[in-house]
Amino acid sequence: MAYQQDFKDQALTWDEAAVQGSGTDYLLHSSVVTGSDNLTIEVILANCVEHAVALLAENINDDSLYFMFEWDNTASTLAIVVTDDSKSRDAKHRVLCDLSAMNAKMKQLAESDQWKYQGESFADIVKHALHDYLTTCTGFMRYSLVAVFHQGSRQQTELL
């Protein structure tokens, strides 16, 4: 099933697919950013967060503690999951956004003298933009979850 979520006059198209893994079945909500001309990284990430927040009512259970953002530097993808205190039991809905189409634009912007994220890696830009957005995300604030970010190991997360 595909559907759109509008945010600030921009939209990402989300696909939903059931995934069966080794002992864990979940629903993957995925989106691929295909162009970078009219979308800013902040708008794209806001769309991702809002989509994940819309799923929180179905994702929260008694063991839920973390709203985890997982950045994959190699693939330029962002995954968002709700997980428990051990960071090993994820909720049934997972959000994944492929931002690899933004790589060229991010490189070009990083070389610009006018850009606020001058000299920062794509991962740091994502982390800062997520932090900034979460501070005003009223949907997220309704829940008692700890927002964390990592770009390698779930055991080495940073608070957002």
Side-chain angles (χ1 to χ4, degrees):
M1 159 184 7
Y3 54 95
Q4 289 191 346
Q5 176 181 354
D6 293 319
F7 181 79
K8 295 184 180 179
D9 299 325
Q10 304 293 329
L12 292 180
T13 301
W14 293 95
D15 295 315
E16 183 179 310
V19 176
Q20 295 178 342
S22 56
T24 59
D25 297 341
Y26 59 92
L27 291 172
L28 180 65
H29 301 258
S30 61
S31 183
V32 177
V33 176
T34 56
S36 62
D37 293 336
N38 63 344
L39 294 174
T40 65
I41 191 69
E42 292 87 359
V43 169
I44 292 167
L45 295 174
N47 268 269
C48 294
V49 171
E50 288 296 331
H51 190 74
V53 165
L55 299 168
L56 284 177
E58 293 182 49
N59 260 352
I60 300 287
N61 61 46
D62 291 340
D63 295 331
S64 299
L65 178 61
Y66 295 109
F67 192 46
M68 185 179 301
F69 296 87
E70 301 178 294
W71 178 252
D72 181 336
N73 263 332
T74 306
S76 295
T77 58
L78 177 69
I80 306 171
V81 298
V82 173
T83 191
D84 67 335
D85 61 341
S86 68
K87 301 175 187 166
S88 62
R89 291 185 311 266
D90 296 345
K92 71 177 182 176
H93 293 279
R94 298 180 189 183
V95 173
L96 180 70
C97 186
D98 181 339
L99 292 122
S100 58
M102 296 289 290
N103 285 338
K105 181 177 183 178
M106 298 306 285
K107 186 176 187 293
Q108 178 186 15
L109 288 171
E111 295 169 356
S112 167
D113 291 337
Q114 307 291 313
W115 202 41
K116 68 180 178 180
Y117 296 121
Q118 180 66 32
E120 294 190 46
S121 69
F122 199 174
D124 286 336
I125 293 165
V126 169
K127 179 174 61 175
H128 295 308
L130 288 170
H131 173 270
D132 289 349
Y133 187 73
L134 283 174
T135 61
T136 60
C137 182
T138 56
F140 171 69
M141 291 185 192
R142 289 186 203 134
Y143 297 92
S144 297
L145 294 172
V146 178
V148 294
F149 177 89
H150 80 82
Q151 56 178 322
S153 166
R154 285 186 169 202
Q155 301 313 313
Q156 296 176 343
T157 57
E158 302 174 51
L159 289 175
L160 288 175

mmCIF file of all heavy atoms in Angstrom, residues 56-104:
data_model
loop_
_atom_site.group_PDB
_atom_site.id
_atom_site.type_symbol
_atom_site.label_atom_id
_atom_site.label_comp_id
_atom_site.label_asym_id
_atom_site.label_seq_id
_atom_site.Cartn_x
_atom_site.Cartn_y
_atom_site.Cartn_z
ATOM 1 N N LEU A 56 3.193 5.757 16.481
ATOM 2 C CA LEU A 56 3.530 5.492 17.879
ATOM 3 C C LEU A 56 2.396 4.832 18.662
ATOM 4 O O LEU A 56 2.656 3.955 19.487
ATOM 5 C CB LEU A 56 3.979 6.767 18.588
ATOM 6 C CG LEU A 56 5.383 7.243 18.260
ATOM 7 C CD1 LEU A 56 5.690 8.562 18.978
ATOM 8 C CD2 LEU A 56 6.424 6.191 18.594
ATOM 9 N N ALA A 57 1.175 5.224 18.440
ATOM 10 C CA ALA A 57 0.064 4.630 19.191
ATOM 11 C C ALA A 57 0.010 3.117 18.995
ATOM 12 O O ALA A 57 -0.315 2.379 19.927
ATOM 13 C CB ALA A 57 -1.254 5.271 18.766
ATOM 14 N N GLU A 58 0.374 2.643 17.803
ATOM 15 C CA GLU A 58 0.391 1.199 17.543
ATOM 16 C C GLU A 58 1.717 0.555 17.955
ATOM 17 O O GLU A 58 1.779 -0.657 18.118
ATOM 18 C CB GLU A 58 0.164 0.934 16.055
ATOM 19 C CG GLU A 58 -1.221 1.309 15.571
ATOM 20 C CD GLU A 58 -1.397 0.989 14.106
ATOM 21 O OE1 GLU A 58 -1.064 -0.142 13.709
ATOM 22 O OE2 GLU A 58 -1.853 1.875 13.367
ATOM 23 N N ASN A 59 2.745 1.352 18.104
ATOM 24 C CA ASN A 59 4.084 0.826 18.383
ATOM 25 C C ASN A 59 4.429 0.726 19.865
ATOM 26 O O ASN A 59 5.278 -0.052 20.250
ATOM 27 C CB ASN A 59 5.152 1.688 17.707
ATOM 28 C CG ASN A 59 5.650 1.088 16.417
ATOM 29 O OD1 ASN A 59 5.329 -0.035 16.072
ATOM 30 N ND2 ASN A 59 6.444 1.844 15.709
ATOM 31 N N ILE A 60 3.797 1.516 20.676
ATOM 32 C CA ILE A 60 4.131 1.568 22.097
ATOM 33 C C ILE A 60 3.570 0.350 22.822
ATOM 34 O O ILE A 60 2.425 -0.023 22.640
ATOM 35 C CB ILE A 60 3.558 2.838 22.755
ATOM 36 C CG1 ILE A 60 4.120 4.086 22.089
ATOM 37 C CG2 ILE A 60 3.806 2.851 24.252
ATOM 38 C CD1 ILE A 60 5.545 4.384 22.396
ATOM 39 N N ASN A 61 4.418 -0.256 23.669
ATOM 40 C CA ASN A 61 3.952 -1.299 24.577
ATOM 41 C C ASN A 61 4.640 -1.083 25.931
ATOM 42 O O ASN A 61 5.377 -0.117 26.107
ATOM 43 C CB ASN A 61 4.202 -2.707 24.013
ATOM 44 C CG ASN A 61 5.665 -2.992 23.790
ATOM 45 O OD1 ASN A 61 6.496 -2.712 24.649
ATOM 46 N ND2 ASN A 61 5.999 -3.549 22.641
ATOM 47 N N ASP A 62 4.402 -1.956 26.880
ATOM 48 C CA ASP A 62 4.935 -1.772 28.232
ATOM 49 C C ASP A 62 6.458 -1.730 28.286
ATOM 50 O O ASP A 62 7.030 -1.144 29.190
ATOM 51 C CB ASP A 62 4.436 -2.883 29.161
ATOM 52 C CG ASP A 62 2.952 -2.760 29.438
ATOM 53 O OD1 ASP A 62 2.399 -1.655 29.250
ATOM 54 O OD2 ASP A 62 2.344 -3.765 29.838
ATOM 55 N N ASP A 63 7.124 -2.352 27.324
ATOM 56 C CA ASP A 63 8.585 -2.405 27.328
ATOM 57 C C ASP A 63 9.239 -1.284 26.532
ATOM 58 O O ASP A 63 10.468 -1.170 26.524
ATOM 59 C CB ASP A 63 9.068 -3.744 26.754
ATOM 60 C CG ASP A 63 8.656 -4.915 27.619
ATOM 61 O OD1 ASP A 63 8.524 -4.726 28.846
ATOM 62 O OD2 ASP A 63 8.465 -6.020 27.074
ATOM 63 N N SER A 64 8.467 -0.468 25.847
ATOM 64 C CA SER A 64 9.035 0.575 24.985
ATOM 65 C C SER A 64 9.756 1.633 25.789
ATOM 66 O O SER A 64 9.247 2.131 26.792
ATOM 67 C CB SER A 64 7.926 1.233 24.163
ATOM 68 O OG SER A 64 7.289 0.292 23.346
ATOM 69 N N LEU A 65 10.960 1.979 25.358
ATOM 70 C CA LEU A 65 11.738 3.026 26.020
ATOM 71 C C LEU A 65 12.331 4.018 25.029
ATOM 72 O O LEU A 65 12.294 5.215 25.252
ATOM 73 C CB LEU A 65 12.869 2.413 26.859
ATOM 74 C CG LEU A 65 13.786 3.404 27.569
ATOM 75 C CD1 LEU A 65 13.003 4.279 28.553
ATOM 76 C CD2 LEU A 65 14.907 2.676 28.285
ATOM 77 N N TYR A 66 12.867 3.519 23.915
ATOM 78 C CA TYR A 66 13.600 4.388 22.993
ATOM 79 C C TYR A 66 12.862 4.613 21.681
ATOM 80 O O TYR A 66 12.268 3.696 21.112
ATOM 81 C CB TYR A 66 14.970 3.783 22.667
ATOM 82 C CG TYR A 66 15.896 3.702 23.848
ATOM 83 C CD1 TYR A 66 16.216 2.478 24.420
ATOM 84 C CD2 TYR A 66 16.460 4.850 24.392
ATOM 85 C CE1 TYR A 66 17.070 2.387 25.505
ATOM 86 C CE2 TYR A 66 17.305 4.767 25.480
ATOM 87 C CZ TYR A 66 17.609 3.549 26.032
ATOM 88 O OH TYR A 66 18.446 3.469 27.108
ATOM 89 N N PHE A 67 12.944 5.849 21.197
ATOM 90 C CA PHE A 67 12.548 6.233 19.848
ATOM 91 C C PHE A 67 13.886 6.403 19.141
ATOM 92 O O PHE A 67 14.558 7.417 19.298
ATOM 93 C CB PHE A 67 11.760 7.540 19.911
ATOM 94 C CG PHE A 67 11.032 7.924 18.658
ATOM 95 C CD1 PHE A 67 10.268 7.018 17.951
ATOM 96 C CD2 PHE A 67 11.074 9.231 18.205
ATOM 97 C CE1 PHE A 67 9.566 7.398 16.807
ATOM 98 C CE2 PHE A 67 10.382 9.629 17.082
ATOM 99 C CZ PHE A 67 9.630 8.711 16.374
ATOM 100 N N MET A 68 14.312 5.355 18.432
ATOM 101 C CA MET A 68 15.682 5.276 17.945
ATOM 102 C C MET A 68 15.798 5.655 16.468
ATOM 103 O O MET A 68 15.058 5.142 15.629
ATOM 104 C CB MET A 68 16.241 3.872 18.155
ATOM 105 C CG MET A 68 17.707 3.759 17.785
ATOM 106 S SD MET A 68 18.382 2.113 18.058
ATOM 107 C CE MET A 68 18.085 1.895 19.788
ATOM 108 N N PHE A 69 16.759 6.534 16.202
ATOM 109 C CA PHE A 69 17.090 6.947 14.846
ATOM 110 C C PHE A 69 18.420 6.303 14.487
ATOM 111 O O PHE A 69 19.428 6.538 15.156
ATOM 112 C CB PHE A 69 17.205 8.470 14.766
ATOM 113 C CG PHE A 69 15.906 9.167 15.059
ATOM 114 C CD1 PHE A 69 15.555 9.482 16.361
ATOM 115 C CD2 PHE A 69 15.033 9.496 14.042
ATOM 116 C CE1 PHE A 69 14.359 10.121 16.642
ATOM 117 C CE2 PHE A 69 13.830 10.130 14.303
ATOM 118 C CZ PHE A 69 13.490 10.443 15.611
ATOM 119 N N GLU A 70 18.411 5.504 13.419
ATOM 120 C CA GLU A 70 19.600 4.763 13.016
ATOM 121 C C GLU A 70 20.063 5.254 11.642
ATOM 122 O O GLU A 70 19.361 5.072 10.648
ATOM 123 C CB GLU A 70 19.294 3.258 12.951
ATOM 124 C CG GLU A 70 18.809 2.712 14.275
ATOM 125 C CD GLU A 70 18.458 1.243 14.220
ATOM 126 O OE1 GLU A 70 17.489 0.892 13.510
ATOM 127 O OE2 GLU A 70 19.152 0.463 14.889
ATOM 128 N N TRP A 71 21.230 5.867 11.597
ATOM 129 C CA TRP A 71 21.771 6.393 10.350
ATOM 130 C C TRP A 71 22.807 5.437 9.788
ATOM 131 O O TRP A 71 23.729 5.025 10.478
ATOM 132 C CB TRP A 71 22.405 7.764 10.583
ATOM 133 C CG TRP A 71 23.024 8.314 9.337
ATOM 134 C CD1 TRP A 71 24.345 8.431 9.061
ATOM 135 C CD2 TRP A 71 22.331 8.810 8.195
ATOM 136 N NE1 TRP A 71 24.519 8.966 7.814
ATOM 137 C CE2 TRP A 71 23.299 9.209 7.252
ATOM 138 C CE3 TRP A 71 20.980 8.947 7.864
ATOM 139 C CZ2 TRP A 71 22.962 9.742 6.011
ATOM 140 C CZ3 TRP A 71 20.650 9.479 6.622
ATOM 141 C CH2 TRP A 71 21.632 9.879 5.720
ATOM 142 N N ASP A 72 22.648 5.079 8.522
ATOM 143 C CA ASP A 72 23.601 4.228 7.812
ATOM 144 C C ASP A 72 24.376 5.122 6.845
ATOM 145 O O ASP A 72 23.829 5.544 5.816
ATOM 146 C CB ASP A 72 22.867 3.114 7.073
ATOM 147 C CG ASP A 72 23.792 2.167 6.328
ATOM 148 O OD1 ASP A 72 24.929 2.559 5.973
ATOM 149 O OD2 ASP A 72 23.382 1.033 6.073
ATOM 150 N N ASN A 73 25.628 5.418 7.182
ATOM 151 C CA ASN A 73 26.460 6.293 6.351
ATOM 152 C C ASN A 73 26.677 5.751 4.956
ATOM 153 O O ASN A 73 26.681 6.504 3.986
ATOM 154 C CB ASN A 73 27.834 6.493 7.009
ATOM 155 C CG ASN A 73 27.906 7.759 7.806
ATOM 156 O OD1 ASN A 73 27.226 8.728 7.529
ATOM 157 N ND2 ASN A 73 28.735 7.752 8.825
ATOM 158 N N THR A 74 26.882 4.461 4.844
ATOM 159 C CA THR A 74 27.191 3.852 3.554
ATOM 160 C C THR A 74 26.021 3.968 2.585
ATOM 161 O O THR A 74 26.202 4.332 1.425
ATOM 162 C CB THR A 74 27.567 2.366 3.732
ATOM 163 O OG1 THR A 74 28.621 2.279 4.679
ATOM 164 C CG2 THR A 74 28.010 1.756 2.426
ATOM 165 N N ALA A 75 24.827 3.678 3.054
ATOM 166 C CA ALA A 75 23.639 3.693 2.193
ATOM 167 C C ALA A 75 22.886 5.019 2.231
ATOM 168 O O ALA A 75 21.960 5.217 1.442
ATOM 169 C CB ALA A 75 22.698 2.563 2.601
ATOM 170 N N SER A 76 23.248 5.916 3.134
ATOM 171 C CA SER A 76 22.528 7.183 3.347
ATOM 172 C C SER A 76 21.053 6.927 3.608
ATOM 173 O O SER A 76 20.169 7.499 2.976
ATOM 174 C CB SER A 76 22.714 8.132 2.168
ATOM 175 O OG SER A 76 24.057 8.519 2.047
ATOM 176 N N THR A 77 20.796 6.033 4.559
ATOM 177 C CA THR A 77 19.418 5.735 4.942
ATOM 178 C C THR A 77 19.209 6.028 6.420
ATOM 179 O O THR A 77 20.128 5.902 7.225
ATOM 180 C CB THR A 77 19.051 4.252 4.680
ATOM 181 O OG1 THR A 77 19.944 3.418 5.401
ATOM 182 C CG2 THR A 77 19.080 3.929 3.197
ATOM 183 N N LEU A 78 17.993 6.412 6.740
ATOM 184 C CA LEU A 78 17.596 6.659 8.117
ATOM 185 C C LEU A 78 16.488 5.685 8.473
ATOM 186 O O LEU A 78 15.467 5.615 7.773
ATOM 187 C CB LEU A 78 17.092 8.090 8.288
ATOM 188 C CG LEU A 78 16.577 8.443 9.682
ATOM 189 C CD1 LEU A 78 17.732 8.484 10.683
ATOM 190 C CD2 LEU A 78 15.838 9.763 9.662
ATOM 191 N N ALA A 79 16.690 4.932 9.534
ATOM 192 C CA ALA A 79 15.652 4.043 10.056
ATOM 193 C C ALA A 79 15.180 4.601 11.390
ATOM 194 O O ALA A 79 15.985 5.133 12.166
ATOM 195 C CB ALA A 79 16.202 2.631 10.241
ATOM 196 N N ILE A 80 13.897 4.484 11.643
ATOM 197 C CA ILE A 80 13.321 4.929 12.912
ATOM 198 C C ILE A 80 12.543 3.761 13.493
ATOM 199 O O ILE A 80 11.662 3.206 12.828
ATOM 200 C CB ILE A 80 12.394 6.148 12.725
ATOM 201 C CG1 ILE A 80 13.113 7.281 11.985
ATOM 202 C CG2 ILE A 80 11.872 6.628 14.084
ATOM 203 C CD1 ILE A 80 12.200 8.429 11.581
ATOM 204 N N VAL A 81 12.876 3.397 14.730
ATOM 205 C CA VAL A 81 12.214 2.287 15.403
ATOM 206 C C VAL A 81 11.909 2.664 16.844
ATOM 207 O O VAL A 81 12.565 3.524 17.432
ATOM 208 C CB VAL A 81 13.069 0.993 15.392
ATOM 209 C CG1 VAL A 81 13.329 0.517 13.981
ATOM 210 C CG2 VAL A 81 14.364 1.187 16.135
ATOM 211 N N VAL A 82 10.918 2.001 17.400
ATOM 212 C CA VAL A 82 10.655 2.054 18.835
ATOM 213 C C VAL A 82 11.190 0.744 19.382
ATOM 214 O O VAL A 82 10.906 -0.322 18.840
ATOM 215 C CB VAL A 82 9.147 2.201 19.127
ATOM 216 C CG1 VAL A 82 8.876 2.090 20.615
ATOM 217 C CG2 VAL A 82 8.628 3.526 18.582
ATOM 218 N N THR A 83 11.987 0.834 20.444
ATOM 219 C CA THR A 83 12.603 -0.374 20.977
ATOM 220 C C THR A 83 12.616 -0.351 22.503
ATOM 221 O O THR A 83 12.303 0.666 23.125
ATOM 222 C CB THR A 83 14.027 -0.568 20.383
ATOM 223 O OG1 THR A 83 14.512 -1.855 20.704
ATOM 224 C CG2 THR A 83 14.977 0.509 20.867
ATOM 225 N N ASP A 84 13.001 -1.457 23.078
ATOM 226 C CA ASP A 84 12.989 -1.617 24.536
ATOM 227 C C ASP A 84 14.314 -1.145 25.151
ATOM 228 O O ASP A 84 15.190 -0.633 24.458
ATOM 229 C CB ASP A 84 12.726 -3.080 24.893
ATOM 230 C CG ASP A 84 13.859 -3.997 24.471
ATOM 231 O OD1 ASP A 84 14.614 -3.661 23.529
ATOM 232 O OD2 ASP A 84 14.005 -5.051 25.088
ATOM 233 N N ASP A 85 14.450 -1.339 26.469
ATOM 234 C CA ASP A 85 15.643 -0.857 27.168
ATOM 235 C C ASP A 85 16.918 -1.590 26.761
ATOM 236 O O ASP A 85 18.007 -1.056 26.882
ATOM 237 C CB ASP A 85 15.457 -0.928 28.687
ATOM 238 C CG ASP A 85 15.228 -2.337 29.202
ATOM 239 O OD1 ASP A 85 14.858 -3.224 28.412
ATOM 240 O OD2 ASP A 85 15.404 -2.546 30.408
ATOM 241 N N SER A 86 16.800 -2.799 26.243
ATOM 242 C CA SER A 86 17.984 -3.531 25.790
ATOM 243 C C SER A 86 18.322 -3.211 24.330
ATOM 244 O O SER A 86 19.341 -3.663 23.814
ATOM 245 C CB SER A 86 17.776 -5.040 25.940
ATOM 246 O OG SER A 86 16.787 -5.488 25.025
ATOM 247 N N LYS A 87 17.459 -2.469 23.653
ATOM 248 C CA LYS A 87 17.596 -2.085 22.254
ATOM 249 C C LYS A 87 17.629 -3.303 21.332
ATOM 250 O O LYS A 87 18.245 -3.285 20.271
ATOM 251 C CB LYS A 87 18.849 -1.228 22.038
ATOM 252 C CG LYS A 87 18.851 0.049 22.855
ATOM 253 C CD LYS A 87 20.146 0.796 22.718
ATOM 254 C CE LYS A 87 20.176 1.956 23.680
ATOM 255 N NZ LYS A 87 21.502 2.516 23.822
ATOM 256 N N SER A 88 16.926 -4.353 21.749
ATOM 257 C CA SER A 88 16.938 -5.588 20.950
ATOM 258 C C SER A 88 15.545 -6.027 20.495
ATOM 259 O O SER A 88 15.438 -6.806 19.559
ATOM 260 C CB SER A 88 17.598 -6.720 21.740
ATOM 261 O OG SER A 88 16.868 -6.994 22.913
ATOM 262 N N ARG A 89 14.489 -5.538 21.140
ATOM 263 C CA ARG A 89 13.131 -5.925 20.765
ATOM 264 C C ARG A 89 12.406 -4.699 20.203
ATOM 265 O O ARG A 89 11.910 -3.860 20.947
ATOM 266 C CB ARG A 89 12.389 -6.507 21.967
ATOM 267 C CG ARG A 89 12.924 -7.851 22.419
ATOM 268 C CD ARG A 89 12.094 -8.476 23.532
ATOM 269 N NE ARG A 89 11.805 -7.573 24.638
ATOM 270 C CZ ARG A 89 12.549 -7.480 25.756
ATOM 271 N NH1 ARG A 89 13.605 -8.236 25.903
ATOM 272 N NH2 ARG A 89 12.209 -6.641 26.710
ATOM 273 N N ASP A 90 12.340 -4.648 18.882
ATOM 274 C CA ASP A 90 11.716 -3.515 18.203
ATOM 275 C C ASP A 90 10.216 -3.699 18.069
ATOM 276 O O ASP A 90 9.718 -4.823 18.014
ATOM 277 C CB ASP A 90 12.320 -3.329 16.808
ATOM 278 C CG ASP A 90 13.796 -2.978 16.848
ATOM 279 O OD1 ASP A 90 14.301 -2.598 17.926
ATOM 280 O OD2 ASP A 90 14.445 -3.069 15.794
ATOM 281 N N ALA A 91 9.514 -2.590 17.975
ATOM 282 C CA ALA A 91 8.064 -2.604 17.773
ATOM 283 C C ALA A 91 7.751 -3.063 16.351
ATOM 284 O O ALA A 91 8.640 -3.195 15.503
ATOM 285 C CB ALA A 91 7.499 -1.212 18.033
ATOM 286 N N LYS A 92 6.473 -3.268 16.076
ATOM 287 C CA LYS A 92 6.084 -3.878 14.802
ATOM 288 C C LYS A 92 6.191 -2.949 13.595
ATOM 289 O O LYS A 92 6.268 -3.421 12.466
ATOM 290 C CB LYS A 92 4.683 -4.464 14.887
ATOM 291 C CG LYS A 92 3.568 -3.444 14.961
ATOM 292 C CD LYS A 92 2.213 -4.135 14.957
ATOM 293 C CE LYS A 92 1.098 -3.120 14.993
ATOM 294 N NZ LYS A 92 -0.206 -3.749 14.901
ATOM 295 N N HIS A 93 6.191 -1.640 13.777
ATOM 296 C CA HIS A 93 6.302 -0.700 12.654
ATOM 297 C C HIS A 93 7.702 -0.096 12.634
ATOM 298 O O HIS A 93 8.181 0.420 13.645
ATOM 299 C CB HIS A 93 5.283 0.436 12.778
ATOM 300 C CG HIS A 93 3.869 -0.014 12.642
ATOM 301 N ND1 HIS A 93 3.266 -0.232 11.425
ATOM 302 C CD2 HIS A 93 2.941 -0.310 13.576
ATOM 303 C CE1 HIS A 93 2.025 -0.622 11.613
ATOM 304 N NE2 HIS A 93 1.795 -0.681 12.921
ATOM 305 N N ARG A 94 8.344 -0.143 11.470
ATOM 306 C CA ARG A 94 9.663 0.479 11.284
ATOM 307 C C ARG A 94 9.574 1.436 10.101
ATOM 308 O O ARG A 94 8.917 1.142 9.108
ATOM 309 C CB ARG A 94 10.727 -0.568 11.004
ATOM 310 C CG ARG A 94 10.886 -1.545 12.147
ATOM 311 C CD ARG A 94 11.936 -2.566 11.861
ATOM 312 N NE ARG A 94 11.899 -3.604 12.894
ATOM 313 C CZ ARG A 94 12.735 -4.610 12.943
ATOM 314 N NH1 ARG A 94 13.690 -4.731 12.041
ATOM 315 N NH2 ARG A 94 12.634 -5.508 13.895
ATOM 316 N N VAL A 95 10.248 2.544 10.230
ATOM 317 C CA VAL A 95 10.262 3.557 9.174
ATOM 318 C C VAL A 95 11.668 3.611 8.598
ATOM 319 O O VAL A 95 12.649 3.640 9.346
ATOM 320 C CB VAL A 95 9.834 4.941 9.740
ATOM 321 C CG1 VAL A 95 10.011 6.027 8.706
ATOM 322 C CG2 VAL A 95 8.393 4.881 10.236
ATOM 323 N N LEU A 96 11.762 3.625 7.276
ATOM 324 C CA LEU A 96 13.055 3.676 6.597
ATOM 325 C C LEU A 96 12.976 4.662 5.447
ATOM 326 O O LEU A 96 12.076 4.579 4.609
ATOM 327 C CB LEU A 96 13.429 2.293 6.059
ATOM 328 C CG LEU A 96 14.759 2.194 5.315
ATOM 329 C CD1 LEU A 96 15.920 2.357 6.287
ATOM 330 C CD2 LEU A 96 14.862 0.877 4.580
ATOM 331 N N CYS A 97 13.918 5.598 5.418
ATOM 332 C CA CYS A 97 13.966 6.586 4.340
ATOM 333 C C CYS A 97 15.342 6.557 3.691
ATOM 334 O O CYS A 97 16.365 6.682 4.365
ATOM 335 C CB CYS A 97 13.658 7.978 4.874
ATOM 336 S SG CYS A 97 13.517 9.219 3.562
ATOM 337 N N ASP A 98 15.346 6.394 2.372
ATOM 338 C CA ASP A 98 16.574 6.381 1.579
ATOM 339 C C ASP A 98 16.849 7.809 1.110
ATOM 340 O O ASP A 98 16.102 8.359 0.303
ATOM 341 C CB ASP A 98 16.404 5.438 0.386
ATOM 342 C CG ASP A 98 17.639 5.348 -0.485
ATOM 343 O OD1 ASP A 98 18.490 6.253 -0.453
ATOM 344 O OD2 ASP A 98 17.745 4.354 -1.225
ATOM 345 N N LEU A 99 17.925 8.389 1.626
ATOM 346 C CA LEU A 99 18.286 9.760 1.283
ATOM 347 C C LEU A 99 19.493 9.830 0.355
ATOM 348 O O LEU A 99 20.116 10.876 0.219
ATOM 349 C CB LEU A 99 18.588 10.541 2.568
ATOM 350 C CG LEU A 99 17.395 10.782 3.453
ATOM 351 C CD1 LEU A 99 17.622 10.196 4.818
ATOM 352 C CD2 LEU A 99 17.107 12.245 3.541
ATOM 353 N N SER A 100 19.836 8.730 -0.292
ATOM 354 C CA SER A 100 21.045 8.710 -1.115
ATOM 355 C C SER A 100 20.994 9.710 -2.269
ATOM 356 O O SER A 100 22.039 10.184 -2.714
ATOM 357 C CB SER A 100 21.322 7.299 -1.633
ATOM 358 O OG SER A 100 20.237 6.818 -2.389
ATOM 359 N N ALA A 101 19.804 10.081 -2.729
ATOM 360 C CA ALA A 101 19.694 11.084 -3.790
ATOM 361 C C ALA A 101 20.151 12.455 -3.306
ATOM 362 O O ALA A 101 20.445 13.344 -4.118
ATOM 363 C CB ALA A 101 18.257 11.162 -4.298
ATOM 364 N N MET A 102 20.241 12.638 -1.993
ATOM 365 C CA MET A 102 20.677 13.917 -1.424
ATOM 366 C C MET A 102 22.202 14.028 -1.319
ATOM 367 O O MET A 102 22.719 15.095 -1.010
ATOM 368 C CB MET A 102 20.081 14.097 -0.016
ATOM 369 C CG MET A 102 18.585 14.199 0.032
ATOM 370 S SD MET A 102 17.961 15.751 -0.622
ATOM 371 C CE MET A 102 18.503 16.903 0.627
ATOM 372 N N ASN A 103 22.923 12.946 -1.564
ATOM 373 C CA ASN A 103 24.375 12.949 -1.373
ATOM 374 C C ASN A 103 25.078 14.067 -2.138
ATOM 375 O O ASN A 103 25.912 14.781 -1.586
ATOM 376 C CB ASN A 103 24.979 11.597 -1.738
ATOM 377 C CG ASN A 103 24.712 10.552 -0.695
ATOM 378 O OD1 ASN A 103 24.445 10.865 0.461
ATOM 379 N ND2 ASN A 103 24.758 9.296 -1.091
ATOM 380 N N ALA A 104 24.769 14.219 -3.422
ATOM 381 C CA ALA A 104 25.428 15.249 -4.239
ATOM 382 C C ALA A 104 25.091 16.644 -3.729
ATOM 383 O O ALA A 104 25.967 17.513 -3.634
ATOM 384 C CB ALA A 104 25.028 15.092 -5.701
#
